[in-house]
Amino acid sequence: MGMSINKWLSRAKACLVGDERGFGLVETLAAVAILGVAVVAFVIGLSTGSVTVREGNQELVAQSLAQTQLEYVKDYPYDPAATTYPTVDTPEGYSIGVEAGSISDTDTDIQRITVTISRDGEAILTVKDYKVNR
């Protein structure tokens, strides 16, 4: 037991410090890089989710407007000479186009109705249906 405890502890500290010099910095940089990648992936996921929700909401509003417009046209009095029918109120940014036309080689008691829903001037949904004189 020729070595004292203090001498043994100082030698152990010297070995640890000498063998691991600079290793803390490399570990820290690797952890920051991994954390950075995780944060970037999270932000991209949030952005993509936000765009998807906005597009889904736009599609839902367009489908609802088209269905409402078609029901409104079907309830409107039949006019065999009509090329369009009045439109329902729309939310801001949306517009509705309605076209009515006769169908060739059929009687005059049926029309093809085409409803086009646009948002900010860009057509996003077109639906076709028929109106019958009853």
Side-chain angles (χ1 to χ4, degrees):
M1 292 231 118
M3 192 182 322
S4 72
I5 292 181
N6 286 337
K7 194 173 183 180
W8 184 81
L9 285 175
S10 65
R11 201 179 260 182
K13 276 185 182 178
C15 287
L16 288 175
V17 172
D19 289 345
E20 296 184 12
R21 186 177 31 211
F23 194 65
L25 179 62
V26 172
E27 286 178 333
T28 303
L29 289 176
V32 168
I34 291 170
L35 184 62
V37 168
V39 168
V40 168
F42 181 72
V43 169
I44 289 172
L46 283 178
S47 174
T48 303
S50 175
V51 168
T52 302
V53 167
R54 185 176 54 239
E55 288 176 357
N57 186 40
Q58 177 178 301
E59 181 70 23
L60 182 65
V61 170
Q63 288 176 0
S64 177
L65 280 173
Q67 185 65 35
T68 302
Q69 182 62 49
L70 283 172
E71 293 299 323
Y72 183 74
V73 168
K74 287 180 180 181
D75 287 341
Y76 205 79
Y78 185 84
D79 180 5
T83 58
T84 189
Y85 284 95
T87 61
V88 296
D89 293 333
T90 61
E92 186 177 332
Y94 288 89
S95 62
I96 299 176
V98 179
E99 295 177 15
S102 61
I103 301 171
S104 59
D105 300 332
T106 62
D107 60 13
T108 59
D109 289 338
I110 188 168
Q111 290 176 323
R112 177 181 289 129
I113 307 297
T114 304
V115 175
T116 303
I117 308 297
S118 300
R119 175 142 193 212
D120 299 327
E122 181 182 339
I124 56 174
L125 180 66
T126 300
V127 179
K128 294 181 181 185
D129 204 351
Y130 298 95
K131 179 175 178 67
V132 179
N133 186 16
R134 293 183 186 198

